[in-house]
Amino acid sequence: MNHYSFEDFLEIVARLRGEDGCPWDKVQTHESLREALLEEAYEAVEAIEKKDTPNLCEELGDILLQVVFHADIEKDAGNFDMTHVIDGICQKMIYRHPHIFGTAQASTP
């Protein structure tokens, strides 16, 4: 069984939104995808509440699609791409955890 990588996923989304891609995907905007983003988040929460691990896996993929899709829209606009999103969240996590990535000490969760 083949397994796809994150890079494969980025290429799939880019192809869907590309010149010869899906007509629906090509015309989507942040605003048109707003409800889908919220719906996928709620569906992931519902899977967590039901302790439905297989469904949670699927819903997390749907949320990831939303993140990549929005980043691809911005890439096309020349503003940022998925590497900027990843860089930003990495910087934020390192900054928020000086007890792991720095010299600060933490004694409680």
Side-chain angles (χ1 to χ4, degrees), residues 41 47 80 89:
F80 63 84
I89 194 61

Side-chain angles (χ1 to χ4, degrees), residues 14-33:
R15 183 170 177 189
L16 289 171
R17 297 194 63 253
E19 184 177 323
D20 296 325
C22 172
W24 184 88
D25 290 322
K26 293 189 318 187
V27 298
Q28 296 311 302
T29 65
H30 296 304
E31 293 77 17
S32 69
L33 293 169

Side-chain angles (χ1 to χ4, degrees), residues 37-89:
L37 178 60
L38 290 170
E39 181 180 327
E40 299 304 348
Y42 282 122
E43 289 175 358
V45 169
E46 182 178 350
I48 291 168
E49 290 171 348
K50 291 182 176 180
K51 300 186 183 336
D52 186 344
T53 304
N55 192 39
L56 177 59
C57 182
E58 180 180 341
E59 297 305 335
L60 291 175
D62 291 344
I63 291 171
L64 181 59
L65 170 60
Q66 291 295 314
V67 172
V68 170
F69 209 105
H70 284 275
D72 199 64
I73 290 170
E74 288 302 317
K75 179 183 79 172
D76 290 349
N79 296 321
F80 63 84
D81 64 17
M82 199 63 210
T83 60
H84 296 99
V85 174
I86 292 169
D87 183 64
I89 194 61

